Amino acid sequence: MHHVFPLTVLALLLALCAALPVPARAATSFLAREGDEVLAAEGDLTTRRAPCSTFKIAISLMGYDAGILIDETHPVRPYDESLNVAYDMWKQPHDPVMWMRNSCVWYSQVTTRELGMERFKAYVDRFGYGNRDVSGRRGTAGTDDGLTRAWLSSSLAISPEEEVDFIGRLVRSELPVSAHAQEMTRRILFVQDLQGGWKLYGKTGSGVRLLPDGARDEDRQIGWFVGWAQHGDGRTVLFAHLLEDEDDNPAPAGRRSRDAAIVKMQRLLGVAPGEW
């Protein structure tokens, strides 16, 4: 026996379906490499975008090499109430481990100010970091903010391929800074243990998309997660994952990128079912 929905019920169902929110869209770029072998390649891997808080990796290397940062827990820097930051988790003293874990912008800025623009720019050049542009944006008073904001959806930009190359040099201790700086930076980038004897290291980054004319699109985010997975047997898989929102999505893009990348990496490493 066939049942026929009354037209009113059918119309109601169609209206409910139309009212459901449409999932926000995002373009994805993902590169994973083990040695010279590319394990996964997805999306646009060569166009440069702002590194956002993934640049904390570079700032960490600078700070440790210059003696401004000491070890995982020193220096502890007090929170300055005059900063009036947006996130409660930043309104407390921070050490290097907390700086990375909470992605605390003011701790980065204190470090770069102590370096000064001359040393800061020299490190970026020595690293060959992306487009090497730390000029920042011109302020209303005619002063540059490159020393404290060049990486925050501003002048500095790097591609997923370049992120992976940079991470690879860090993992192999091939960057032009001290061995101590590279070892400390690797330590404070630890994220979590994965199944199968793997350890995950990395850094998120969230920012806004830049339009072709350099203007900021405040309603569209980008989100990075870059790093590496290391096995007890010595295997190392480098990766960079980037989301670029095509719709307004209020959830932090860096966190969304990290969650998606972890799923892909687990599948790639064979410690979770499915294919990336």
Side-chain angles (χ1 to χ4, degrees):
M1 181 176 180
H2 296 286
H3 295 278
V4 179
F5 281 103
L7 290 178
T8 54
V9 174
L10 182 59
L12 178 60
L13 288 173
L14 291 173
L16 287 173
C17 289
L20 290 174
V22 177
R25 298 168 300 160
T28 302
S29 302
F30 178 52
L31 175 63
R33 199 174 70 204
E34 183 174 10
D36 294 329
E37 181 183 359
V38 174
L39 303 182
E42 175 187 358
D44 180 358
L45 303 175
T46 59
T47 301
R48 289 168 170 165
R49 291 88 163 176
C52 308
S53 283
T54 67
F55 188 66
K56 286 183 173 67
I57 300 172
I59 296 173
S60 172
L61 290 161
M62 300 176 197
Y64 281 116
D65 189 63
I68 294 170
L69 306 180
I70 309 303
D71 56 29
E72 293 109 313
T73 56
H74 297 90
V76 177
R77 290 180 168 140
Y79 170 62
D80 182 352
E81 295 287 347
S82 68
L83 294 175
N84 193 30
V85 297
Y87 302 110
D88 287 341
M89 64 182 176
W90 291 356
K91 298 178 181 180
Q92 60 180 314
H94 273 68
D95 61 24
V97 168
M98 292 177 65
W99 166 47
M100 283 292 177
R101 184 179 66 219
N102 293 338
S103 202
C104 181
V105 170
W106 66 256
Y107 196 99
S108 300
Q109 293 169 330
V110 170
T111 303
T112 57
R113 285 192 184 101
E114 289 190 27
L115 283 165
M117 179 54 88
E118 184 176 350
R119 282 197 295 178
F120 177 63
K121 187 178 188 310
Y123 275 120
V124 172
D125 287 338
R126 283 161 57 188
F127 293 159
Y129 193 94
N131 65 357
R132 308 184 188 189
D133 185 351
V134 294
S135 61
R137 297 187 299 162
R138 298 295 294 181
T140 55
T143 57
D144 296 333
D145 62 1
L147 184 60
T148 57
R149 301 193 63 84
W151 61 95
L152 298 174
S153 299
S154 183
S155 60
L156 192 62
I158 192 169
S159 71
E161 281 187 349
E162 290 170 326
E163 287 269 26
V164 167
D165 288 341
F166 181 66
I167 292 295
R169 292 162 66 202
L170 168 61
V171 169
R172 298 187 300 270
S173 291
E174 293 176 354
L175 288 165
V177 290
S178 68
H180 173 74
Q182 294 176 87
E183 173 61 22
M184 287 295 102
T185 297
R186 289 192 292 265
R187 288 187 188 183
I188 66 175
L189 287 172
F190 176 73
V191 176
Q192 68 183 68
D193 289 311
L194 300 177
Q195 294 181 6
W198 290 92
K199 292 183 179 294
L200 182 68
Y201 299 80
K203 184 69 194 76
T204 55
S206 297
V208 298
R209 296 185 66 167
L210 297 179
L211 301 175
D213 62 359
R216 295 160 57 95
D217 184 349
E218 301 291 347
D219 294 326
R220 304 290 183 271
Q221 294 186 67
I222 65 170
W224 289 97
F225 186 52
V226 306
W228 70 99
Q230 193 160 23
H231 195 272
D233 65 6
R235 288 184 62 196
T236 302
V237 177
L238 314 170
F239 67 87
H241 191 274
L242 174 68
L243 293 180
E244 294 184 280
D245 286 340
E246 297 174 1
D247 300 310
D248 186 7
N249 187 333
R255 187 181 306 161
R256 288 186 276 123
S257 189
R258 178 199 63 199
D259 293 346
I262 289 175
V263 171
K264 292 178 182 181
M265 287 294 293
Q266 288 176 320
R267 291 174 178 172
L268 200 62
L269 299 173
V271 297
E275 297 179 359
W276 73 270

